[in-house]
Amino acid sequence: MVVRRDSAVGEQESGEGKKAAKVMTKAIAGKSAGKPESRTALVRRARRINRELAEVYPYAHPELDFENPFQLLVATVLSAQTTDLRVNQTTPALFAKYPTPEDLAAANPEEVEEILRPCGFFRAKTRSVIGLSKGLVEQFGGEVPGRLEDLVTLPGVGRKTAFVVLGNAFGRPGITVDTHFQRLVRRWRWTEETDPDKIEAAIGTLFPKGDWTDLSHHVIWHGRRICHARKPACGACPIAPLCPAYGEGETDPEKAKKLLKYEKGGFPGQRLNPPQAYLDAGGRAAPPLGAG
């Protein structure tokens, strides 16, 4: 757990933590009741949040296991409406049997469905991954294209999936607007937009383009570990002083710590084969499908 002096995490005693929480709640309430935040102030606050999160998650990375752009593309499509962990536990068998676009394009759908069953919506996902594999073979010579306009022509590939691939397989900046990203940027009042494309455009104006991919990782990691949808761990949040939504979740530091997930709560992460930097920072690899 990274502890910052200016966060609610730093309270050592439960009584002091509750007192600090009340003070912080009043401060944020008073701030929100004042004048609307200026554009300049918004940009400064947004960038400071990203800097703070970069210190909390210096090892943030894509939480899908992949060895090449094709694997990342398929894994990202499979991650819809399920967890990255479940995808990571499922794809080793898929890629062992169908290592290339050519192999998957020629696959028996029923056999692919059986492999993908743990991911949920396995019939639709089978159609998508076989379809995108055929598209790669027929349109791009079996290679994953490195352009947004090409990627989105493939079955099951939208802008979110395309930006995951571009940012993490090709090093081309993009903002990944998943459910966590949407939730947090609205909680932080970076935007009031609800449409993913409009959110992407709005947030893109707050940050230099070169920050977009890492920003996406920072926000998504924070959403998965601390700022949860139903019960955010406000009392264990390192950016609580910067958050207009502080108090929506548990503010008691000790109770909030019990809500933390993945490595922040001492549990394994979502990758079976995470980067070494993550392991060096104390993270643990997830178990393979069927283990434990």
Side-chain angles (χ1 to χ4, degrees):
M1 165 68 62
V2 176
V3 180
R4 299 189 58 79
R5 296 180 190 174
D6 58 355
S7 75
V9 181
E11 299 297 335
Q12 298 301 314
E13 301 294 336
S14 179
E16 293 180 7
K18 290 180 179 178
K19 183 178 180 180
K22 290 181 180 178
V23 172
M24 189 175 297
T25 301
K26 288 182 179 180
I28 292 174
K31 188 180 296 184
S32 63
K35 295 181 180 180
E37 187 174 35
S38 69
R39 173 71 181 181
T40 299
L42 169 61
V43 171
R44 288 175 177 171
R45 182 169 61 86
R47 294 186 182 185
R48 184 180 173 192
I49 286 176
N50 188 40
R51 291 195 300 271
E52 298 277 336
L53 293 181
E55 292 186 24
V56 178
Y57 310 109
Y59 43 78
H61 58 269
E63 294 196 88
L64 290 167
D65 282 324
F66 69 98
E67 296 179 356
N68 54 57
F70 172 62
Q71 290 188 1
L72 179 58
L73 178 60
V74 170
T76 305
V77 169
L78 295 178
S79 69
Q81 296 178 292
T82 190
T83 64
D84 286 356
L85 172 58
R86 179 59 67 187
V87 174
N88 292 336
Q89 293 173 324
T90 305
T91 51
L94 180 71
F95 295 138
K97 190 166 185 178
Y98 310 106
T100 69
E102 289 81 1
D103 295 322
L104 193 50
N108 181 327
E110 292 183 357
E111 295 180 2
V112 176
E113 286 178 2
E114 194 58 34
I115 294 174
L116 299 185
R117 187 178 293 271
C119 284
F121 302 96
F122 58 93
R123 292 189 179 88
K125 291 180 179 181
T126 293
R127 289 193 295 271
S128 290
V129 298
I130 290 179
L132 72 83
S133 296
K134 289 180 178 178
L136 290 174
V137 172
E138 295 169 1
Q139 301 174 44
F140 304 105
E143 298 291 330
V144 176
R147 299 195 314 162
L148 174 66
E149 53 267 42
D150 292 332
L151 283 168
V152 295
T153 65
L154 298 169
V157 180
R159 291 178 67 87
K160 184 189 80 170
T161 295
F163 281 133
V164 170
V165 174
L166 291 172
N168 298 290
F170 293 97
R172 296 176 183 174
I175 295 176
T176 303
V177 184
D178 72 350
T179 56
H180 300 287
F181 194 95
Q182 292 183 51
R183 179 176 73 254
L184 268 61
V185 299
R186 287 176 58 80
R187 275 183 178 165
W188 295 335
R189 297 182 189 169
W190 288 2
T191 180
E192 295 182 356
E193 299 291 352
T194 56
D195 177 78
D197 290 350
K198 291 181 179 179
I199 291 174
E200 175 197 323
I203 304 307
T205 67
L206 301 178
F207 297 89
K209 190 173 183 178
D211 291 350
W212 289 355
T213 298
D214 285 342
L215 168 71
S216 299
H217 291 323
H218 298 154
V219 175
I220 292 169
W221 273 55
H222 193 60
R224 286 174 172 168
R225 286 154 176 77
I226 296 177
C227 195
H228 311 136
R230 294 185 180 179
K231 203 168 185 180
C234 294
C237 180
I239 60 165
L242 299 170
C243 180
Y246 177 83
E248 287 186 7
E250 180 58 65
T251 57
D252 179 85
E254 294 305 316
K255 293 180 180 179
K257 286 179 183 178
K258 296 178 182 179
L259 300 174
L260 302 182
K261 297 182 179 179
Y262 300 110
E263 79 285 347
K264 293 301 177 188
F267 306 112
Q270 299 202 61
R271 290 187 69 162
L272 277 68
N273 298 296
Q276 190 60 45
Y278 174 74
L279 298 174
D280 291 342
R284 289 189 288 148
L289 185 65

